[in-house]
Amino acid sequence: RAQLRRRVFDDAAARARLEAILHPRIRAAVLERLRTLHAPYCLIVVPLLVETGFGELIDRILVVDIDEARQLERASARDGASTEAIRRIVSTQAAREDRLARADDVLINNGTLEELEHQVDHLHARYQALARAS
C-alpha cells in the first residue's frame, strides 16, 4: 500500500491511469447497490466526490472536516507516512475551503470519538426526517 501510494502521488500520469481504471468500476458498483437499496436514506462515501463528478448521484453533500494539523497528525499515525508525503496527497485533493463551500452538512472531527458520535446521532435523525418528508 505504501509503495502504491508513493507511486501514484509522485507520478500524476500513474495516478490518472489508476483513477481511470478504478473510478468507472466504483461508480458501477455504487449504482448497482443503489438499485437494490431498501432504506430511508444512504450515505455514499466518496473520498474524491468533488474531483470525480459523483455529485449528480447525490442529494446532499456531507463533509467530515478536520483542521489541517490534526489531519496530518492522524494520517501520519494511521499510515506511518511522513508529513511531507501526506501534504503531497492532500494537495491532489479539492481544497478544504472548496469541500466546505459545497457541503450541505458538516461533521467536525477535531475532537473525541464520543463528540463525533454525538454529531452523527443528530445528523442521522435529521436525515431520517428529510427522508420521511420527501
Side-chain angles (χ1 to χ4, degrees):
R1 185 175 177 168
Q3 186 177 24
L4 179 61
R5 182 185 319 113
R6 275 192 304 279
R7 180 165 181 191
V8 299
F9 289 105
D10 289 345
D11 181 346
R15 185 174 64 255
R17 280 192 308 275
L18 180 63
E19 290 174 352
I21 293 167
L22 293 178
H23 291 176
R25 288 169 173 82
I26 293 168
R27 184 182 184 85
V30 167
L31 288 170
E32 180 58 31
R33 297 280 309 265
L34 288 174
R35 277 192 280 280
T36 61
L37 181 69
H38 301 290
Y41 74 91
C42 78
L43 299 178
I44 302 172
V45 179
V46 183
L48 299 175
L49 174 73
V50 173
E51 298 86 347
T52 59
F54 252 86
E56 73 271 5
L57 299 176
I58 309 297
D59 294 324
R60 299 185 67 78
I61 295 177
L62 166 63
V63 170
V64 180
D65 188 46
I66 188 168
D67 67 58
E68 182 182 358
R70 279 192 180 87
Q71 180 183 25
L72 293 172
E73 177 185 304
R74 289 180 183 174
S76 180
R78 179 193 67 219
D79 296 342
S82 70
T83 300
E84 181 55 37
I86 295 165
R87 284 185 197 279
R88 277 196 314 274
I89 292 168
V90 170
S91 74
T92 67
Q93 301 169 355
R96 180 182 183 200
E97 299 78 25
D98 293 339
R99 287 191 310 272
L100 290 171
R102 292 180 175 211
D104 298 295
D105 306 294
V106 179
L107 293 175
I108 306 299
N109 191 15
N110 290 327
T112 65
L113 182 57
E114 292 76 23
E115 291 168 331
L116 184 61
E117 288 172 345
H118 182 70
Q119 292 179 71
V120 168
D121 289 342
H122 283 280
L123 192 59
H124 173 60
R126 181 166 186 226
Y127 285 176
Q128 286 180 315
L130 288 169
R132 280 191 302 273
S134 65

